[in-house]
Amino acid sequence: MTALIYEPAWDVPVVSRADIVVVGGGPAGFSAAMAAARNGASVCLVERYPYLGGLASGGMVLVLDDMCAGAEITVRGICQEMIDRMQRHGLAVYPPERERGHDPAAYRKWSRWGLFDFNTRTRPHPICYSVAFDPDGWKRVSDEMVREAGVELRLHSWFSRALVRDGRIEGVVTETKAGRQAIMGSAVIDATGDLDVAASAGAPFIRGAYMVTTVFRLGGVDTDEAERFQFDEPDRFHAIDREAKRIIGGCWDYWWLKTPLPGIVWCNCPHMTGLDGLRVEDLTEAELEGRRRIHALVDYVRATLPGFARCYVVDVAPQTGIRQTRLLEGEYVVTKDDVTRRVHFPDSIARGRDYYTPYRAMLPKGVDQLLVAGRHYSATSQAQKISREIPPCMAMGEAAGTAAAMALTSGVRARDIDVAALQRKLRAQGADPGDQPSAEARVLEMH
């Protein structure tokens, strides 16, 4: 039995008031803050780390995928603006339209960037519209955009608890080096990834679990030689690659991928299972075990893998790669069948590659003026595993921020806004809310 101590009540100073408070500065929260500010709301964006970007920057998930259905780009809006800005800085790379598809030469050119459609059954996977980017490029562009939009940014602020009165959220308390601080708002968007705000506010949720990852980058890699070896000496390559994967103990098919920085590759591994992303003990174990595996892998590939003889560890991601913890049980719970059958909803407000997210899946039960955007949205565990990538989470965030601003303007609760008007506004902003299903989705609906 856990021992308990009594903690006395604190007087918490109110350090900020805004129309909308966004908790979590990852891709979804950043998009929510930008959308709300651009729609006329005053916004306070709260982030526990000293940078924006969440798992995109701090977690170093350095490929944006799950954002096209065949040739159709399904996630645009703020996500595409981020891509365009990073590309102008030379910190984002994607295949031109003419090189997408099943051409073997294109596959050889682009596959080690990770820019292929991993959802297809055909091998090799076709090259598609995906984007490789630099994590500091993401931070740089995020900083530029929040300043331009006039968002009040509070970094180094760790969410502590929600402030709820009579079923309505009124603000949040954060922990900082200056002590506890309260931030008040007319609406709050939970973009924490772990549903911290909604859980604290009393909204129902389920617990899920998936593998966790300590992502890292290697420098000093001769990627031309490594690619030549893979394609020109496949038998030797597969033998070495198989052993590398055994040592790292869990990874995708391509355990290393190129980045916009010459000689720097990123490794979305090692994957570790049986760990809970909400337990300090498990998070500590992930860090220690992850680094042990990383250094064992580096020793091996230096000695055996062409192109890696002089490689070295550049960094291990400062954020552990957590994929699933708490999931909202909202006004609608998206199922695996919804995702795999591409079910279209009348209140769709965001898309992934070929699936749709209804507005109701961002609405907690029993708590007004609170919206949820990101990988912790209302879905079953199995549905979330195949609908949690960064671009669709950004689309959710853009929808949540726009909806919250609309609610303030019209003087209604966030759950009572005119969703058709929200869909029109999102489309006018350059996003694709999914209110007009693709031809393929319409065929599936008929059956």
Side-chain angles (χ1 to χ4, degrees):
M1 186 176 191
T2 303
L4 300 175
I5 64 169
Y6 171 73
E7 183 181 26
W10 292 61
D11 291 325
V12 181
V14 176
V15 296
S16 180
R17 295 180 186 272
D19 293 331
I20 298 168
V21 178
V22 181
V23 184
F30 165 79
S31 300
M34 289 299 303
R38 288 175 173 178
N39 279 280
S42 62
V43 179
C44 181
L45 176 57
V46 180
E47 169 55 48
R48 70 183 189 179
Y49 289 104
Y51 51 80
L52 293 173
L55 288 181
S57 58
M60 296 198 304
V61 182
L62 302 183
V63 168
L64 297 173
D65 54 16
D66 217 19
M67 57 187 302
C68 67
E72 180 191 12
I73 299 174
T74 58
V75 181
R76 297 192 297 268
I78 290 172
C79 181
Q80 186 61 51
E81 182 179 349
M82 283 286 300
I83 293 166
D84 292 342
R85 288 187 178 225
M86 288 192 293
Q87 195 273 336
R88 287 196 291 271
H89 290 307
L91 297 173
V93 175
Y94 52 86
E97 188 172 359
R98 66 180 180 278
E99 296 183 16
R100 300 170 201 163
H102 290 278
D103 180 61
Y107 184 80
R108 179 162 180 157
K109 178 178 179 179
W110 292 106
S111 59
R112 272 294 170 186
W113 292 92
L115 307 181
F116 49 79
D117 187 351
F118 58 89
N119 293 290
T120 62
R121 296 180 181 179
T122 56
R123 294 295 181 97
H125 297 302
I127 300 302
C128 69
Y129 183 69
S130 299
V131 182
F133 66 94
D134 176 74
D136 285 298
W138 189 287
K139 297 173 188 177
R140 175 181 178 180
V141 169
S142 298
D143 291 349
E144 293 170 354
M145 292 175 68
V146 295
R147 278 197 296 265
E148 291 170 9
V151 172
E152 179 191 357
L153 179 60
R154 300 186 70 86
L155 302 175
H156 299 280
S157 299
W158 193 293
F159 170 79
S160 177
R161 66 185 180 91
L163 299 173
V164 181
R165 182 186 303 180
D166 298 327
R168 181 188 181 105
I169 194 165
E170 297 183 338
V172 299
V173 174
T174 63
E175 297 280 357
T176 76
K177 285 291 186 180
R180 291 181 178 175
Q181 298 180 336
I183 302 167
M184 310 304 290
S186 298
V188 176
I189 298 174
D190 181 344
T192 61
D194 295 315
L195 203 73
D196 294 335
V197 180
S200 174
F205 62 88
I206 63 170
R207 289 285 294 267
Y210 198 16
M211 57 192 176
V212 304
T213 303
T214 47
V215 177
F216 64 103
R217 291 189 295 178
L218 298 178
V221 178
D222 184 341
T223 55
D224 289 341
E225 173 59 15
E227 288 180 287
R228 182 210 62 77
F229 177 66
Q230 173 188 343
F231 289 101
D232 295 350
E233 301 182 57
D235 292 339
R236 285 187 61 210
F237 164 78
H238 286 302
I240 294 172
D241 194 58
R242 187 181 310 111
E243 178 62 12
K245 290 174 178 175
R246 186 196 67 78
I247 291 170
I248 202 65
C251 60
W252 305 122
D253 189 25
Y254 277 16
W255 61 265
W256 70 268
L257 293 171
K258 295 164 72 172
T259 76
L261 303 182
I264 305 292
V265 303
W266 78 285
C267 308
N268 188 8
C269 55
H271 301 330
M272 291 164 278
T273 59
L275 300 175
D276 185 341
L278 298 178
R279 295 188 72 246
V280 169
E281 297 85 352
D282 286 6
L283 291 169
T284 302
E285 174 62 21
E287 300 291 348
L288 298 178
E289 175 62 15
R291 286 195 286 271
R292 184 194 69 77
R293 295 188 195 182
I294 288 166
H295 294 298
L297 175 72
V298 170
D299 290 343
Y300 174 72
V301 297
R302 277 178 179 163
T304 62
L305 185 57
F308 283 75
R310 298 184 178 182
C311 75
Y312 53 88
V313 176
V314 173
D315 49 9
V316 178
Q319 288 181 233
T320 312
I322 305 299
R323 292 173 173 83
Q324 188 178 112
T325 52
R326 303 185 191 96
L327 298 173
L328 179 70
E329 275 194 323
E331 295 295 345
Y332 184 85
V333 179
V334 174
T335 67
K336 182 179 179 181
D337 193 54
D338 290 334
V339 177
T340 58
R341 292 187 59 250
R342 305 170 178 86
V343 172
H344 179 259
F345 306 93
D347 62 336
S348 293
I349 43 74
R351 293 181 65 184
R353 61 185 176 277
D354 54 6
Y355 55 83
Y356 303 85
T357 303
Y359 184 60
R360 290 163 293 159
M362 299 197 300
L363 296 175
K365 295 178 180 177
V367 185
D368 282 331
Q369 295 307 94
L370 177 62
L371 289 164
V372 171
R375 63 175 170 84
H376 50 312
Y377 81 111
S378 181
T380 65
S381 177
Q382 291 301 312
Q384 190 265 6
K385 288 179 181 179
I386 53 178
S387 62
R388 55 173 175 76
E389 301 294 340
I390 289 171
C393 286
M394 293 186 75
M396 273 190 265
E398 184 168 358
T402 305
M406 287 177 58
L408 290 171
T409 300
S410 57
V412 301
R413 298 182 303 173
R415 67 176 65 252
D416 295 331
I417 65 163
D418 182 343
V419 176
L422 171 61
Q423 292 166 333
R424 290 193 297 271
K425 185 174 284 290
L426 288 169
R427 192 170 291 280
Q429 293 170 184
D432 185 347
D435 57 320
Q436 298 175 12
S438 64
E440 183 180 10
R442 284 194 292 269
V443 170
L444 287 167
E445 284 181 334
M446 291 172 63
H447 294 82

